[in-house]
Amino acid sequence: TASVTCTLEALVPDKDAAGSYDRTVEWSLSKSVDPVSQTAAAGSEADFDWTVTATKTRDEESNWSVSGEIEVYNPSPIPQSFSVSDVLSDGTVATVDCSPAEGAQASGTVPPASTITCSYVASPSSHDATSNTATVSVTGRPDVTDTVGISWSENVIGDLSPLLTDPDQSYTQEISGYTQELFDDGHTCSSNPADYGSSGSYLYQETNEAYLDGTGVDLDASATASVTCTLEALVPDKDA
């Protein structure tokens, strides 16, 4: 009695996985002063409180995508037909294409000792997926799989850390989120009577500007304060 055990080596999948997504960041900038206007006597100081506010108005992710290639190697001496599927760890199913023909063809036939390369792309709703599994199926044979980790890359549209400056207050700071700065300064009304003219007053105005600059960020905001400086008239008093 003679017997022969014939064996067929299983197909061998080998894959990669690259993930990417966009992160869009937008900012707003405002500057205000309190009080906007006031009156002060000659020789006295009028104080102003300036407020600069930078706000991150948008920080959103979108356009998540995982793509790559799945190589299917046939180590046996005969051709083998297969189908392949690809799923992310969050359950997202990828579209697989193993043929240059039009349309996605998730199947093929691998010649002996040869490799077929399939491409795939998945469009998840976040970047929560951490791994990606390809499953190669051959009729009548156990499925074979290959699982790899997903390497995510972030494409920032805008600037995560723009530069906030207020030259009038000698202030410069790189920021990453909501930032509000308060500054106090003022104007001292002149002690020179000649500055008040015949009206007995003059108007002083000061405009301060702030800037927010970075990649895709070019904002400026300003506020204007005014002081009406007054000189009380001389008061004559006589007798006769």
Side-chain angles (χ1 to χ4, degrees):
T1 300
S3 65
V4 177
T5 301
C6 296
T7 61
L8 177 63
E9 290 186 90
L11 298 177
V12 180
D14 185 22
K15 76 180 312 295
D16 57 17
S20 66
Y21 61 93
D22 294 336
R23 182 176 177 182
T24 303
V25 181
E26 296 177 354
W27 297 84
S28 67
L29 180 67
S30 66
K31 185 163 190 177
S32 61
V33 62
D34 182 42
V36 174
S37 62
Q38 58 184 302
T39 300
S44 66
E45 183 176 6
D47 292 323
F48 294 101
D49 294 321
W50 304 87
T51 303
V52 178
T53 306
T55 304
K56 188 187 292 184
T57 57
R58 184 182 180 190
D59 191 349
E60 298 177 351
E61 296 179 1
S62 61
N63 299 327
W64 302 274
S65 178
V66 178
S67 61
E69 293 183 339
I70 305 166
E71 293 183 344
V72 182
Y73 173 63
N74 180 10
S76 73
I78 62 174
Q80 294 195 66
S81 297
F82 69 93
S83 63
V84 59
S85 61
D86 191 87
V87 182
L88 308 187
S89 58
D90 68 354
T92 302
V93 177
T95 299
V96 181
D97 191 4
C98 301
S99 170
E102 185 176 351
Q105 309 292 324
S107 60
T109 300
V110 198
S114 298
T115 298
I116 283 183
T117 299
C118 306
S119 62
Y120 74 92
V121 61
S123 301
S125 58
S126 70
H127 67 278
D128 292 340
T130 57
S131 63
N132 182 206
T133 299
T135 301
V136 174
S137 302
V138 175
T139 301
R141 302 277 291 166
D143 291 344
V144 287
T145 63
D146 186 35
T147 299
V148 296
I150 300 173
S151 176
W152 288 99
S153 63
E154 182 179 78
N155 174 40
V156 177
I157 302 170
D159 202 317
L160 292 172
S161 52
L163 191 66
L164 178 62
T165 59
D166 191 323
D168 296 299
Q169 307 299 333
S170 301
Y171 172 86
T172 300
Q173 181 66 48
E174 189 177 271
I175 64 173
S176 59
Y178 176 85
T179 302
Q180 186 173 80
E181 298 292 344
L182 306 177
F183 305 104
D184 178 23
D185 69 7
H187 172 71
T188 300
C189 291
S190 174
S191 296
N192 182 2
D195 292 334
Y196 293 84
S198 60
S199 67
S201 67
Y202 72 86
L203 179 66
Y204 170 81
Q205 287 188 315
E206 180 179 337
T207 298
N208 281 2
E209 288 191 286
Y211 304 90
L212 190 63
D213 297 297
T215 302
V217 183
D218 183 15
L219 301 175
D220 64 87
S222 65
T224 301
S226 64
V227 183
T228 300
C229 294
T230 62
L231 177 64
E232 292 186 89
L234 296 176
V235 180
D237 185 20
K238 73 180 295 298
D239 58 13

